[in-house]
Amino acid sequence: QVQLVESGGGLVQPGGSLRLSCAASGSFFTINPMGWYRQAPGKERESVADITSGGSTNYADSVKGRFTISRDNAKNTVYLQMNSLKPEDTAVYYCNVGVRRSLYSQKNYYWGQGTQVTVSS
C-alpha cells in the first residue's frame, strides 16, 4: 500500500505565497509521475502541474509563471511552490502519484487526502 501525506495549505492574502508538500511512503519500485490537482467548489478536479523522475514538468496555463513543481527523489516527496496567488486559486489541492510495485507491474495512481488553499483578503 502507498500512503501520501500532504501539508502546507492555509489562508493567504492575494499576492502571497504558499508551499505544498506531499510525501509518499510504502512499498514501491518507482513513483512516476508526481503531480498536483485541485478542485474548487462546484468545479471539476483539474490538473495543476506534474513532474517526472527526470525532472520534466507540465503546468496548467492558469498557473504558468506563478507555480513551480519540484521533487526530491530521495525523500519521495513532491512540492508545489505557489507565488502571486489569486482568489481563483482557492481550492482543495490533491497530490497524485503513479506507482509501480515492480519493474513489470502495472502503474497504479494514488491520491492524497487533500489540503485546503484559500486566497482571500
Side-chain angles (χ1 to χ4, degrees), residues 2-7 21-25 36 77-78 95 111-114:
V2 176
Q3 294 79 42
L4 300 175
V5 178
E6 301 176 15
S7 61
S21 299
C22 173
S25 62
W36 292 93
T77 300
V78 61
C95 175
W111 292 95
Q113 79 280 7

Side-chain angles (χ1 to χ4, degrees), residues 60-117:
D61 288 342
S62 58
V63 306
K64 283 181 180 177
R66 300 187 298 121
F67 291 10
T68 302
I69 190 170
S70 61
R71 63 187 283 174
D72 184 331
N73 291 327
K75 296 181 179 180
N76 296 317
T77 300
V78 61
Y79 306 95
L80 186 68
Q81 178 66 43
M82 304 185 292
N83 299 328
S84 302
L85 282 160
K86 305 175 181 180
E88 50 264 43
D89 294 318
T90 296
V92 178
Y93 284 70
Y94 297 91
C95 175
N96 179 261
V97 301
V99 173
R100 291 188 190 276
R101 295 189 180 278
S102 67
L103 179 61
Y104 301 107
S105 66
Q106 68 178 20
K107 184 181 294 186
N108 293 313
Y109 287 85
Y110 294 85
W111 292 95
Q113 79 280 7
T115 184
Q116 177 70 46
V117 171

